[in-house]
Amino acid sequence: MEAGGLADSLLSGACVLFTLGMFSTGLSDLKHMRMTRSVDSVQFLPFLTTDVNNLSWLSYGALKGNWTLIVVNAVGAVLQTLYILVYLHYCHRKHAVLLQTATLLGVLVLGFGYFWLLVPDTETRLQQLGLFCSVFTISMYLSPLADLAKVIRTKSTQRLSFSLTIATLLTSASWTFYGFRLKDPYIVVPNLPGILTSFIRFWLFWKYPQEQDRNYQLLQT
């Protein structure tokens, strides 16, 4: 195997491994819901937005003919759909959850209708769909900035997951390098904020370690 082909295979494998590892962090939420038979302390919106993101990138991968994108996002969509169904099963306020789901699915269906019916040129469709996926992914990576501001305000990292931060950094970095190999800016650009926010979280873990969190909470009480 040539050096270039080996590098592509290794990067592809890293993308699959790290991304599925990041998606599987939701299994702890699933276990919590099944054990407590409730959705207390579990957020629904990340499941829904990640599912929509997976389905969008799955379409982009299918149009591009890239099996790495197809496999990762197909498995991711199945996992997120599972999390959503379990959440719906144990949620008492199903109306609000179903309304959010129907709204995002409606936007997704309208988007698919636009890309597949009103944009006949394949290259133009690929570019516009890639732009949509990039913007959606960037918004997902930047959405937790409010939580990071709260961490600084409270001087506590209790709401942050160290394992998820590591998974996000490895996933974003592997996709960034993979995008460079493919010369695909729609893959490179949206993963850069993931790297940036991961390093910000590492800095917060260093600035406000868990021991300091406990001391700060004792002072507050």
Side-chain angles (χ1 to χ4, degrees):
M1 184 180 290
E2 296 181 359
L6 178 60
D8 290 341
S9 298
L10 289 175
L11 277 175
S12 176
C15 290
V16 172
L17 179 65
F18 294 141
T19 308
L20 295 184
M22 185 174 69
F23 289 156
S24 66
T25 56
L27 291 173
S28 60
D29 288 331
L30 188 147
K31 181 180 179 181
H32 172 79
M33 289 186 287
R34 291 192 62 189
M35 290 181 63
T36 63
R37 304 187 67 82
S38 73
V39 294
D40 293 340
S41 75
V42 177
Q43 294 182 324
F44 173 72
L45 200 56
F47 295 151
L48 184 59
T49 53
T50 304
D51 203 2
V52 172
N53 194 48
N54 286 148
L55 292 171
S56 301
W57 280 109
L58 177 60
S59 299
Y60 181 77
L63 190 61
K64 193 179 179 70
N66 184 289
W67 280 101
T68 303
L69 285 168
I70 293 172
V71 170
V72 164
N73 289 287
V75 175
V78 170
L79 283 174
Q80 300 305 322
T81 301
L82 174 63
Y83 302 153
I84 289 171
L85 291 175
V86 173
Y87 189 99
L88 280 171
H89 178 70
Y90 293 113
C91 177
H92 297 297
R93 300 179 60 185
K94 289 183 171 55
H95 178 75
V97 173
L98 288 172
L99 182 61
Q100 289 179 336
T101 305
T103 300
L104 266 183
L105 285 179
V107 172
L108 190 65
V109 169
L110 288 175
F112 283 162
Y114 168 77
F115 288 124
W116 294 99
L117 298 177
L118 300 181
V119 186
D121 181 65
T122 303
E123 188 60 33
T124 302
R125 187 189 306 160
L126 187 66
Q127 292 176 359
Q128 292 187 5
L129 183 56
L131 180 61
F132 171 80
C133 292
S134 296
V135 171
F136 197 88
T137 302
I138 290 172
S139 67
M140 285 183 60
Y141 276 133
L142 295 182
S143 59
L145 287 179
D147 287 337
L148 299 185
K150 190 168 184 178
V151 167
I152 296 174
R153 189 166 62 252
T154 62
K155 303 184 188 307
S156 171
T157 54
Q158 291 289 340
R159 63 175 49 241
L160 298 182
S161 168
F162 190 78
S163 59
L164 181 59
T165 301
I166 294 176
T168 301
L169 176 61
L170 293 175
T171 301
S172 300
S174 59
W175 280 109
T176 299
F177 288 125
Y178 186 66
F180 273 122
R181 290 291 300 179
L182 296 181
K183 298 180 180 178
D184 189 332
Y186 301 121
I187 296 177
V188 174
V189 174
N191 285 286
L192 294 176
I195 297 175
L196 176 62
T197 55
S198 295
F199 279 116
I200 292 175
R201 291 184 184 207
F202 282 129
W203 178 78
L204 290 173
F205 280 116
W206 171 80
K207 182 74 173 177
Y208 308 115
Q210 297 296 320
E211 186 62 36
Q212 180 175 317
D213 282 354
R214 287 191 287 272
N215 293 336
Y216 178 80
Q217 289 169 1
L218 288 172
L219 287 174
Q220 290 296 95
T221 56

